[in-house]
Amino acid sequence: MNSLKEVSVLGLGAMGVTIARLYLDQGYKVTVWNRTPDKARELVARGALLARDAAEALRAGRVAVMCVYDYRAAEAILSSPGAAAALDGRLLVQLTTGSPQDARDAQAWAQRHGATYLEGAIQAAPDQMGQPDTPLLVSGARPVFDEARPWLEVLAGGIVYLGEAASAAAAMDLATLSTIYGTLLGFLHGARVAEHEGFDVAAYGRIVAGIMPTFAGFLQHEGAVIQSGDFAISQSPMRISVEATQRILQSARDAGINTEFPTFAAGLFQRADAAGLGGEELAALIKLLRR
Ligand code: FVH
């Protein structure tokens, strides 16, 4: 078995087990390690090798993929006996979610120990992994990315390389998670409206799913507007949203349902209107956030 089809996987939680399975499916020689060894049982039955400790897992191959709960866990593992020394000359792909500062510190630490380092941010749930469109943000030195690409492509077809700074993948992950959580909060308020009106909430979810492609196109447009700095009205004048968010808030009050989300949203749009942004493109709201 040449080293091109070998991998070590450290961390066998919901995501880590999925990662190890994907490599086994592709015929890789897979060495696994997990704080709780029991979780390796099924993988060992499929031919994975269980390392006695993290150092042994790291020594087992050229490329190690780590995916554990957080950077504190990653640090606990990498500071275990022999682990740092085992990293020397190896490529560490860190898929644990962390902050941009965590990523900067981890890249510096890995380099101090002779390892090359790649930071990845998985933007999919375990059962969405291994698909041609599975999104994976990656950052780190370009030659390291080029070398790691075959291992990354086993996990995700939708790889976005964000440049040399290890922090880039973590930062972009935070930015996209902000969009996801903002959308989710709005979705949940909408579900309260649906419940109040006696709608089937699953049907509401399907309607929301139906508008997502159009919404995605709109977000792309608004991103380009912000990048261009030209907020002349092109798609959606701010004023419409000032009215709409006020209507959502008033309707929630009338219905006696929770008003926290619409209060937050309507408040932002009213401040934008008061700041004279009503006659500009919707994305001009970012001018408020820049203050
Ligand atoms: N699951 C998901 O949908 C998301 C999708 C996007 C990316 N995330 C990130 O992936 C990392 C791992 O997430 P996970 O879902 O696999 O997490 P768990 O199932 O909770 O498994 C956690 C693993 O971490 C190990 N662990 C925790 N603390 C320590 C520690 N102090 N020392 C060593 N290992 C530790 C834990 O070991 P054990 O409890 O089995 O012994 C699991 O292997 C995460 O960053 C997500 O943000 C997943």
Side-chain angles (χ1 to χ4, degrees):
M1 169 83 65
N2 66 31
S3 66
L4 287 181
K5 290 206 77 168
E6 290 179 350
V7 68
S8 297
V9 178
L10 289 88
L12 297 178
M15 186 56 80
V17 165
T18 301
I19 288 172
R21 279 192 199 121
L22 287 168
Y23 284 118
L24 286 170
D25 293 346
Q26 295 300 317
Y28 277 67
K29 178 192 165 209
V30 182
T31 302
V32 296
W33 176 86
N34 193 59
R35 178 180 59 177
T36 306
D38 246 15
K39 291 187 183 173
R41 194 198 305 265
E42 173 230 331
L43 297 166
V44 169
R46 286 193 55 194
L49 304 171
L50 176 59
R52 280 163 305 180
D53 55 28
E56 187 180 294
L58 290 168
R59 276 195 303 273
R62 165 108 185 86
V63 177
V65 175
M66 180 177 279
C67 192
V68 288
Y69 183 71
D70 61 8
Y71 267 67
R72 302 306 71 76
E75 284 156 13
I77 295 167
L78 292 172
S79 55
S80 62
L87 271 176
D88 190 13
R90 287 182 170 80
L91 197 169
L92 176 61
V93 179
Q94 182 56 274
L95 299 182
T96 302
T97 302
S99 69
Q101 191 54 51
D102 284 335
R104 277 189 286 271
D105 295 345
Q107 183 182 44
W109 183 89
Q111 284 167 340
R112 280 200 305 275
H113 290 85
T116 49
Y117 181 86
L118 213 53
E119 170 75 18
I122 298 169
Q123 299 202 304
D127 61 4
Q128 297 169 310
M129 295 297 287
Q131 305 302 316
D133 62 350
T134 303
L136 173 63
L137 305 175
V138 179
S139 54
R142 181 77 213 203
V144 179
F145 170 67
D146 292 340
E147 179 187 1
R149 202 166 186 139
W151 280 267
L152 298 173
E153 285 170 345
V154 168
L155 307 181
I159 295 170
V160 177
Y161 176 65
L162 292 168
E164 301 261 335
S167 55
M172 183 61 81
D173 191 41
L174 291 178
T176 52
L177 282 176
S178 300
T179 297
I180 288 166
Y181 287 123
T183 304
L184 181 72
L185 291 176
F187 174 78
L188 293 174
H189 181 81
R192 284 294 300 120
V193 174
E195 286 178 333
H196 179 76
E197 297 297 326
F199 296 146
D200 174 305
V201 181
Y204 155 68
R206 288 193 293 274
I207 291 168
V208 167
I211 66 173
M212 278 301 155
T214 309
F215 182 54
F218 177 72
L219 290 179
Q220 228 168 305
H221 171 79
E222 295 302 295
V225 164
I226 292 168
Q227 186 60 28
S228 75
D230 175 4
F231 291 93
I233 290 174
S234 56
Q235 287 289 319
S236 178
M238 173 85 71
R239 186 171 297 110
I240 289 181
S241 296
V242 174
E243 298 301 318
T245 49
Q246 189 54 43
R247 196 162 45 253
I248 296 168
L249 174 55
Q250 192 52 50
S251 304
R253 286 182 181 137
D254 297 346
I257 63 177
N258 181 288
T259 58
E260 287 173 284
F261 172 73
T263 297
F264 164 71
L268 269 181
F269 283 99
Q270 277 164 344
R271 281 170 45 210
D273 203 20
L277 301 174
E280 296 193 26
E281 180 65 21
L282 181 51
L285 193 62
I286 198 166
K287 295 179 181 178
L288 221 59
L289 304 184
R290 287 173 178 161
R291 287 179 188 168

